[in-house]
Amino acid sequence: MSTNQAISKLENAAFGVSPKAQSISPPCARPIKVNRWQGIIGIFFGVLFFLTFLAPILATTIGIKFAWGCFCAWAFVVIPTILQGSKSLRVLWKNWIAFGLWIIVISINVVLERGGSDAGIIHLIIAISTLMAAIMGAVIGTMPAWVRRAMLTTFLVILGIQGYISLPTLFFENEIARNLMDRDSSAILEKVFYAKRGVGDFHLYTGLAVLTPALLGIVLFGSWRYRIILGFLFIGIFGSIMLSTFSAAVLLAVLGTVILVGGILWSRGFIGMIILYAVVMGVLALSLTLLGELEQVDRVSSKLERLFEGVSAAGIVDGDETRRGYLGSISLDTFLAEPAFGVGSVSMGKNSPLLYVKVGGHSSWIDQLAEYGIFGFGPFLVFIFLLIRQAIWGWRRSRKITDAGVCVSAFIFVILGFLNPAVFVESVAVPVVFLLSMVSSADISSQLGGGSNKNE
């Protein structure tokens, strides 16, 4: 097969473009060569960038500015690699155009001060951080397999250690994570005190819950020896989510785990999957029985039970005691009234006159449609759709459990967007986009002839 035919076949698979519509195709990408020191330094800054959003001590003290610094340092180290991989990366041009339009939309709203709050600046900062994650993930996807494996394993190890450090505090100080969420900016010393003990607020545990399937995929990818070690660390992460008292985080972490583990046995037969689910549900039921007296567990199980009964009896709007159904209906009404360009940046800001009046602020997919309209929010929806679709195709071709875990995390991310803020929560959006971009780019690089991706 000629080079042009190979590229045409790839683009036809990736974007649904007819081969007849292709006139000139780029030359086939060569495998990217990364020396060991370049790879190690790149991993170092990549891990720091990732942890800035999921390590409480970094998020509380230095925050996004540090992440941007890590990205710049990482980009300087891997600039030769970026140039080498440009032939593979430019296949993602639709992604970059969509995200560029999204940033332009946010910038216009900031300049025009639409929405009447500082939310636009917050949206722009997080959008830029998410774009950095997309670029970093895409470049890493073109690198040799050992770079990706080392980076993912390091993520899991550090997050697992953080989880175990936090368990005593979460166990003995009931609802401490929830209380930290309610503290204002003047309580920075208290937040730092608990951050040193690995305890964060809502953002941390929601992000970990969404990433649970991806982290479990990393555990299951290695040999049995590594599975035992990494599995032990994964239990620390999962345990911290269970004790966080955030019902949505607990529910999504359990859901993501059940979906991924059930999918593993799908190829082994329907009966095997049913048996697995029965075992999982039995273990959960036994755990709830044994830990039912624990305040953290009782709070979550009681709330979920009340929510189920309330929604079943009175519907999503009137039966939801968290009022998320009602807040979502506010945003939906605003979107229907202003479907084209919305009312401007509102969510995540402070003292916005339109928050809870025009925008509910607790359902990203509906909130952003109310804020930016279908034309404004459309570019981001196109971007995330392309990423998820490419990642799913990557998993279908590779059949790697790590790719499957990322795809399940993407599914959990979509669900979370209907229950809570997700698009502009940096601990959620940034890691998800990072991993999706990595899987998508690795698949494209492999299809273009990147031999480094074939040995994973």
Side-chain angles (χ1 to χ4, degrees), residues 64-223:
I64 287 181
K65 292 181 180 178
F66 181 73
W68 288 17
C70 290
F71 176 83
C72 292
W74 171 87
F76 177 78
V77 171
V78 301
I79 281 177
T81 302
I82 294 175
L83 295 177
Q84 282 186 1
S86 61
K87 294 175 183 178
S88 296
L89 296 175
R90 71 185 180 190
V91 177
L92 298 169
W93 63 271
K94 289 187 178 181
N95 299 37
W96 309 131
I97 290 178
F99 208 102
L101 291 174
W102 174 228
I103 289 182
I104 290 173
V105 167
I106 298 175
S107 301
I108 292 174
N109 279 267
V110 171
V111 172
L112 298 179
E113 297 183 349
R114 298 183 73 237
S117 74
D118 60 348
I121 296 295
I122 298 174
H123 291 185
L124 183 60
I125 290 173
I126 297 178
I128 293 174
S129 301
T130 307
L131 177 60
M132 290 178 176
I135 295 172
M136 183 178 289
V139 173
I140 290 174
T142 66
M143 290 183 175
W146 70 267
V147 175
R148 297 195 296 279
R149 286 200 300 267
M151 181 170 290
L152 293 174
T153 303
T154 305
F155 290 159
L156 177 57
V157 169
I158 296 177
L159 292 177
I161 294 172
Q162 172 183 282
Y164 276 107
I165 291 174
S166 71
L167 289 182
T169 303
L170 292 172
F171 184 86
F172 290 108
E173 298 188 39
N174 182 32
E175 298 189 22
I176 182 58
R178 183 174 295 276
N179 293 334
L180 289 175
M181 180 181 67
D182 296 331
R183 300 289 195 271
D184 57 25
S185 58
S186 63
I188 183 66
L189 292 179
E190 182 183 11
K191 292 182 178 181
V192 171
F193 174 82
Y194 283 102
K196 291 179 180 178
R197 287 155 178 77
V199 178
D201 58 12
F202 164 79
H203 291 182
L204 168 67
Y205 298 104
T206 304
L208 291 177
V210 172
L211 292 179
T212 295
L215 296 174
L216 182 58
I218 299 171
V219 173
L220 298 176
F221 180 74
S223 63

Side-chain angles (χ1 to χ4, degrees), residues 311-363:
V311 171
S312 299
I316 296 177
V317 176
D318 296 327
D320 183 0
E321 69 175 51
T322 66
R323 301 184 75 242
R324 275 171 170 72
Y326 168 72
L327 295 172
S329 69
I330 292 176
S331 295
L332 181 59
D333 290 341
T334 300
F335 169 62
L336 294 177
E338 301 280 349
F341 300 104
V343 296
S345 308
V346 176
S347 62
M348 310 302 292
K350 297 179 180 178
N351 302 319
S352 171
L354 301 181
L355 188 61
Y356 310 134
V357 176
K358 291 290 187 179
V359 179
H362 285 74
S363 178

